[in-house]
Amino acid sequence: QVQLVESGGDSVQAGGSLRLSCTVSTYPRGMYTGYCMAWFRRIPGKEREVVANIYWDERRDMTEYSDSAKGRFTISHDKNRRTLYLEMSELNGEDTGMYYCAAKSGPCYRGERYYNNWGQGTQVTVSS
């Protein structure tokens, strides 16, 4: 069972930046045949939504972002440190929410139902 632990959530002023981290306890066998990790968030009053995901296999890495994250957020992965990152900049009040790390074998999808490994979340609060 893959265990995910998020950190880095904080309270920041609008326009500020944060870096979220997600450490992975262990990778499953066959990770390099295709694996996906993603950041989701749950904004109060809304369903959990994907923010960004990253897929990798032996040949490539591919990233994908939600429209609200494009140009402001960057997802990356340090395989040696087994850590997923989300660099967030130009934060605004609409980014306030609980951010979750998720993982699955195979390609990435936007729907949360496809992911079978989740962290507990880390809270991001942006104030004006």
Side-chain angles (χ1 to χ4, degrees):
Q1 180 73 11
V2 175
Q3 293 183 330
L4 308 175
V5 179
E6 304 95 334
S7 61
D10 205 346
S11 296
V12 296
Q13 294 284 323
S17 301
L18 278 177
R19 185 176 79 163
L20 305 183
S21 300
C22 171
T23 57
V24 185
S25 60
T26 183
Y27 288 125
R29 288 183 179 181
M31 180 188 74
Y32 286 101
T33 62
Y35 202 68
C36 172
M37 294 192 71
W39 286 100
F40 284 77
R41 69 183 181 190
R42 178 175 281 130
I43 295 173
K46 295 187 178 181
E47 295 183 354
R48 192 155 52 181
E49 61 179 5
V50 67
V51 175
N53 60 49
I54 182 167
Y55 168 84
W56 69 86
D57 57 28
E58 291 178 325
R59 295 175 296 169
R60 59 184 174 173
D61 290 1
M62 293 195 303
T63 59
E64 185 179 30
Y65 296 91
S66 65
D67 288 342
S68 64
K70 284 179 185 175
R72 299 189 301 129
F73 295 1
T74 302
I75 188 171
S76 62
H77 184 228
D78 186 330
K79 299 179 182 66
N80 291 328
R81 295 185 176 184
R82 298 202 305 272
T83 304
L84 179 74
Y85 299 102
L86 185 68
E87 300 271 1
M88 305 187 293
S89 62
E90 301 176 35
L91 289 163
N92 58 61
E94 294 182 349
D95 296 315
T96 293
M98 186 69 77
Y99 284 69
Y100 298 89
C101 173
K104 65 179 294 293
S105 297
C108 291
Y109 298 101
R110 288 180 173 262
E112 63 173 302
R113 66 185 184 277
Y114 296 103
Y115 295 80
N116 54 358
N117 296 287
W118 291 88
Q120 294 300 307
T122 186
Q123 177 67 35
V124 172
T125 303
V126 183
S127 58
S128 57

